[in-house]
Amino acid sequence: QVQLVESGGGLVQAGDSLTLSCAASGRTFSHYAMGWLRQAPGKERDFVATITRSGESTYSADSLKGRFTISRDNAKNTLYLQMNSLKPEDTAVYYCAARLYFTSFNTNSYEYWGAGTQVTVSS
């Protein structure tokens, strides 16, 4: 089992920046590819970004490239999402998720999920 706890969400204004964190515990963090996904009200859960086990490679949704950056610190068992130039359409619950070994763009392929953290961007 992998336990994931997100933090860092909140209410911000358009144009602001925010960094989300996800603390992992349980099994060996570096064995898992990690991802950030989000779900806006009334919408399906969407892929945001994913990162390889070592952190050497990252992949982001095309619409978010240049604004959102995923990173990890395996020594601290922590995943991050740096979000810049936030827009009202970024309002969503943000989830971190873990998948053994390999990255994935498929939101349904992640094995472990956190409870999510709310990000609200006002205009």
Side-chain angles (χ1 to χ4, degrees):
Q1 290 285 338
V2 176
Q3 291 79 44
L4 302 170
V5 179
E6 303 93 338
S7 61
L11 174 62
V12 297
Q13 293 188 338
D16 285 352
S17 297
L18 201 60
T19 300
L20 305 182
S21 299
C22 173
S25 61
R27 297 190 176 177
T28 306
F29 183 60
S30 61
H31 288 182
Y32 290 82
M34 299 296 296
W36 285 101
L37 305 102
R38 69 184 184 182
Q39 187 166 19
K43 296 188 177 181
E44 294 186 352
R45 197 169 292 181
D46 288 335
F47 168 79
V48 173
T50 186
I51 188 167
T52 56
R53 287 171 285 163
S54 66
E56 287 186 2
S57 297
T58 64
Y59 308 91
S60 300
D62 287 343
S63 62
L64 301 176
K65 287 180 181 177
R67 294 198 300 122
F68 286 19
T69 303
I70 188 173
S71 62
R72 67 190 294 166
D73 185 337
N74 285 347
K76 295 182 178 180
N77 290 349
T78 304
L79 176 73
Y80 304 98
L81 183 67
Q82 174 68 42
M83 304 185 293
N84 298 326
S85 302
L86 282 161
K87 304 175 181 180
E89 51 263 42
D90 294 319
T91 295
V93 177
Y94 284 74
Y95 299 91
C96 74
R99 187 173 188 273
L100 191 61
Y101 298 139
F102 303 113
T103 59
S104 174
F105 303 113
N106 184 346
T107 59
N108 295 320
S109 67
Y110 287 84
E111 300 163 75
Y112 302 102
W113 293 78
T117 187
Q118 176 71 47
V119 173
T120 303
V121 185
S122 64
S123 57

